[in-house]
Amino acid sequence: MSEEHEEYEVEALGVEVNAQPIELYKVLKIANAVSGGGEAKFAIAEGYVAVNGELEQRKRRKVYDGDVIEFNNEFYLVLCDQPVTEVVEKPKKAAEPKPAPRAKSASKPSKGKGQGAKAKAGSKGNQASKGRSGKPAAKGPADKATGRKPISF
């Protein structure tokens, strides 16, 4: 069986775009066939849009100069005088193994029952040198560019 294509003439509105390829949903927005991108994507996903006579459900389908889009009993002809620009996808980096997180050193003694009260009582006079967290403030000169003091763990 040979496949026969039937040609027919329709009146189409020209949609001028400034670059090709362009995504299908953007053409519907440019043509003012829809009020926004969300509506365009919904209409395409639900099967209300045809490209070159075939139902299209891919929202980001690339369309080119001369493609005919049918939506809501209207025909739109994509017009672009710019050459096709190849879309170069950025190569995805190979999954590099991340270094294992270092275990926190146990250099600080854990607070026992009576130890917390002693630490509080003995540190009353030394509040000025402590930061917001109750830990001693960073020592050393501040960085001239940022005004931050160095910290150590």
Side-chain angles (χ1 to χ4, degrees), residues 13-129:
L13 300 169
V15 180
E16 293 184 21
V17 295
N18 56 7
Q20 61 175 332
I22 187 167
E23 294 167 343
L24 178 58
Y25 81 96
K26 290 180 182 178
V27 175
L28 292 176
K29 282 176 36 177
I30 293 169
N32 287 326
V34 292
S35 60
E39 186 180 341
K41 289 178 180 180
F42 179 79
I44 296 166
E46 291 295 313
Y48 295 116
V49 179
V51 177
N52 298 330
E54 294 182 16
L55 179 68
E56 184 59 63
Q57 291 184 301
R58 294 176 291 170
K59 301 167 207 111
R60 295 185 178 267
R61 185 226 166 127
K62 307 292 188 237
V63 293
Y64 298 88
D65 181 43
D67 284 345
V68 177
I69 299 167
E70 181 183 359
F71 172 67
N72 206 16
N73 293 325
E74 295 279 335
F75 292 90
Y76 302 94
L77 176 65
V78 178
L79 303 171
C80 184
D81 57 0
Q82 300 296 319
V84 176
T85 55
E86 291 297 321
V87 179
V88 179
E89 292 185 21
K90 295 177 184 176
K92 294 183 180 181
K93 293 182 181 179
E96 296 176 12
K98 294 183 180 178
R102 288 192 265 169
K104 293 187 178 183
S105 62
S107 62
K108 296 181 184 177
S110 61
K111 292 184 180 179
K113 264 193 167 178
Q115 200 173 7
K118 289 179 186 175
K120 286 183 182 178
S123 64
K124 282 185 180 179
N126 200 7
Q127 281 293 339
S129 67

